[in-house]
């Protein structure tokens, strides 16, 4: 209800004022529903991303997990990173009823990279080698149970110490990104299955984190585990545990590094690798952790693949991500 004083309009309450303002704001061109953990919301939906998105006509809307997904929206794009069979089923049911909505990314495709046994199979099958270099995966072994059997299994598989041990399942928790380095045969039985054992490849203590957003690639350097020489291997024994290695604080982009270690992998090689993995994995949001074998210039190893990684750590991510969403939206028209 409006009241007039001296020819001016006075609003009865603030709610009416807000309603009036809202009616003047043009509707968004693209509505992106998101289902993320609180930690992911904080790291990804930073003010600089939401602010730029609004300017470009993109609205991020939180999905209420206490209400049926089909009662919410409408959405143009659904962005998610939740785990569990129940959520996966909800999402698949929703997508079946709303095929017009772009789901980032398909639940079944994500499951493939949640298991370290299967995540690197596509890289190994690529057998990628060209004039720019060669891409391999470290020799690895999966141990499901019985730690006492690990030494014999390692010997039979012909793996060379030291070995990197990683949890078999990647579930988004900090623990699933921890790793251990086992120096001797005896210490292997102290590890906790289910896990994957990978031969440790000396790589100058630097890894390359290759972020992929659709067809865009961005590479950053991160400090990693230091090289292990023969003397260390002889003098050290036991299992050394490490938290998540490639964290933001471990950025190596501004460090004074040996050029042979710091040089980024050739762009054409990365583009080919990303293109093939996008097709094989069926994912558009992921990153690849790559190392260069120390002493070589062109022999690279993929050691990990992560779905919907920490894009907030990627320089200029807000521009790259909003442009990606707009391109997806334009393909729906």
């Amino acid at each position: 209800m409006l009241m007039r004083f001296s020819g001016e309009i006075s609003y009865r309450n603030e709610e009416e004022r807000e309603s009036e303002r809202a009616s003047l704001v043009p509707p968004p061109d693209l509505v992106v529903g998101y289902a993320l953990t609180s930690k992911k919301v904080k790291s990804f939906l930073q003010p600089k991303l939401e602010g730029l998105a609004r300017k470009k006509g993109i609205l991020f809307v939180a999905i209420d997990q206490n209400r049926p997904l089909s009662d919410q929206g409408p959405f143009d794009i659904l962005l998610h990173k939740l785990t569990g069979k129940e959520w996966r089923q909800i999402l698949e049911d929703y997508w079946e009823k709303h095929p017009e909505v772009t789901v980032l990314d398909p639940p079944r495709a994500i499951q493939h990279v949640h298991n370290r046994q299967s995540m690197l199979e596509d890289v190994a099958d690529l057998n990628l080698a060209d004039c720019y270099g060669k891409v391999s995966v470290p020799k690895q072994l999966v141990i499901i149970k019985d730690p006492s059997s690990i030494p014999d299994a390692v010997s039979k598989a012909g793996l060379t110490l030291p070995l990197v041990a990683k949890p078999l399942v990647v579930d988004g928790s900090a623990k699933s990104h921890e790793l251990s380095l086992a120096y001797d045969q005896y210490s292997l039985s102290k590890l906790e299955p289910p896990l994957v054992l990978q031969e440790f490849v000396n790589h100058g203590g630097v890894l390359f984190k290759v972020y992929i957003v659709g067809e865009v690639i961005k590479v950053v350097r991160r400090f990693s585990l230091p090289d292990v020489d023969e003397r260390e291997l002889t003098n050290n024994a036991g299992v050394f545990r490490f938290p998540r290695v490639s964290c933001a604080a471990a950025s190596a982009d501004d460090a004074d590094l040996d050029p042979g270690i710091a040089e980024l992998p050739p762009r054409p090689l990365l583009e080919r690798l990303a293109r093939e993995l996008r097709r094989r994995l069926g994912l558009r949001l992921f990153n690849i952790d790559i190392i260069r074998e120390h002493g070589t210039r062109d022999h690279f190893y993929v050691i990990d693949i992560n779905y919907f990684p920490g894009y907030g750590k990627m320089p200029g991510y807000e521009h790259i991500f909003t442009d990606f969403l707009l391109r997806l939206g334009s393909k729906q028209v």
Side-chain angles (χ1 to χ4, degrees):
M1 181 177 175
L2 304 178
M3 300 177 64
R4 292 182 179 273
F5 295 96
S6 304
E8 295 180 353
I9 298 176
S10 173
Y11 288 83
R12 281 290 298 271
N13 55 50
E14 189 62 29
E15 288 165 354
E16 291 181 13
R17 188 191 300 268
E18 287 299 321
S19 177
E20 181 81 6
R21 283 176 186 157
S23 67
L24 300 175
V25 177
D29 298 319
L30 202 65
V31 179
V32 180
Y34 65 88
L36 308 170
T37 63
S38 56
K39 182 181 176 183
K40 194 70 176 176
V41 169
K42 186 177 180 181
S43 68
F44 175 71
L45 280 177
Q46 297 178 25
K48 61 182 179 181
L49 173 65
E50 289 196 284
L52 184 61
R54 277 194 299 272
K55 290 179 182 177
K56 293 184 175 183
I58 302 169
L59 178 65
F60 287 102
V61 178
I63 290 170
D64 185 348
Q65 295 175 53
N66 296 314
R67 291 173 52 210
L69 185 54
S70 56
D71 292 350
Q72 301 178 61
F75 304 117
D76 299 296
I77 295 171
L78 209 156
L79 192 63
H80 69 102
K81 192 177 183 181
L82 298 178
T83 56
K85 291 181 180 179
E86 185 179 355
W87 167 251
R88 197 159 66 244
Q89 191 60 54
I90 289 170
L91 203 52
E92 288 177 353
D93 291 345
Y94 175 83
W95 203 14
E96 192 174 327
K97 294 174 185 174
H98 299 276
E100 75 283 1
V101 177
T102 300
V103 175
L104 294 172
D105 272 310
R108 290 181 186 177
I110 296 168
Q111 281 300 107
H112 191 69
V113 295
H114 275 175
N115 184 301
R116 285 196 166 97
Q117 181 175 11
S118 59
M119 75 160 58
L120 298 183
E121 286 174 354
D122 289 294
V123 181
D125 292 344
L126 275 178
N127 195 24
L128 183 56
D130 59 21
C131 60
Y132 294 103
K134 179 182 179 182
V135 179
S136 311
V137 298
K139 194 171 181 180
Q140 68 177 34
L141 174 68
V142 176
I143 305 292
I144 301 299
K145 55 185 178 180
D146 188 9
S148 63
S149 69
I150 298 178
D152 282 343
V154 166
S155 295
K156 288 177 183 175
L159 267 63
T160 304
L161 293 163
L163 296 176
V164 178
K166 303 178 182 180
L168 178 62
V169 176
V170 183
D171 59 10
S173 66
K175 189 171 179 61
S176 70
H177 289 282
E178 290 178 354
L179 56 85
S180 303
L181 193 61
Y183 278 88
D184 65 286
Q185 198 84 357
Y186 170 75
S187 65
L188 293 173
S189 58
K190 298 178 182 178
L191 296 171
E192 300 174 14
L195 52 80
V196 170
L197 295 173
Q198 289 180 349
E199 285 189 339
F200 180 75
V201 177
N202 282 334
H203 53 282
V206 171
L207 68 77
F208 305 101
K209 193 165 277 291
V210 184
Y211 291 100
I212 294 162
V213 183
E215 296 179 4
V216 176
I217 299 171
K218 190 86 171 178
V219 189
V220 297
R221 299 177 191 86
R222 293 280 184 264
F223 283 119
S224 179
L225 298 180
D227 289 349
V228 177
D229 59 27
E230 287 294 330
R231 187 178 63 81
E232 285 181 277
L233 194 55
T234 304
N235 294 337
N236 285 325
V239 174
F240 293 82
R241 302 186 190 280
F242 300 88
R244 190 167 189 161
V245 174
S246 56
C247 61
S251 173
D253 278 331
D254 299 322
D256 184 17
L257 298 169
D258 181 323
I261 293 173
E263 183 184 5
L264 297 177
R267 188 80 187 180
L269 187 72
L270 292 181
E271 288 175 350
R272 184 179 169 194
L273 177 62
R275 184 171 62 248
E276 288 291 340
L277 287 181
R278 271 198 308 269
R279 182 177 64 82
R280 287 169 177 253
L281 297 174
L283 298 175
R284 283 174 278 199
L285 300 176
F286 62 103
N287 87 284
I288 315 165
D289 287 348
I290 296 180
I291 57 174
R292 174 193 284 110
E293 184 175 3
H294 198 189
T296 75
R297 188 179 181 188
D298 59 0
H299 192 180
F300 301 94
Y301 288 86
V302 174
I303 57 172
D304 230 343
I305 299 174
N306 299 292
Y307 167 65
F308 201 159
Y311 286 117
K313 304 168 190 172
M314 180 177 77
Y317 90 103
E318 65 273 19
H319 295 280
I320 293 171
F321 213 94
T322 50
D323 287 346
F324 164 68
L325 293 174
L326 289 174
R327 281 194 298 273
L328 278 183
S330 67
K331 291 177 183 177
Q332 295 177 337
V333 178

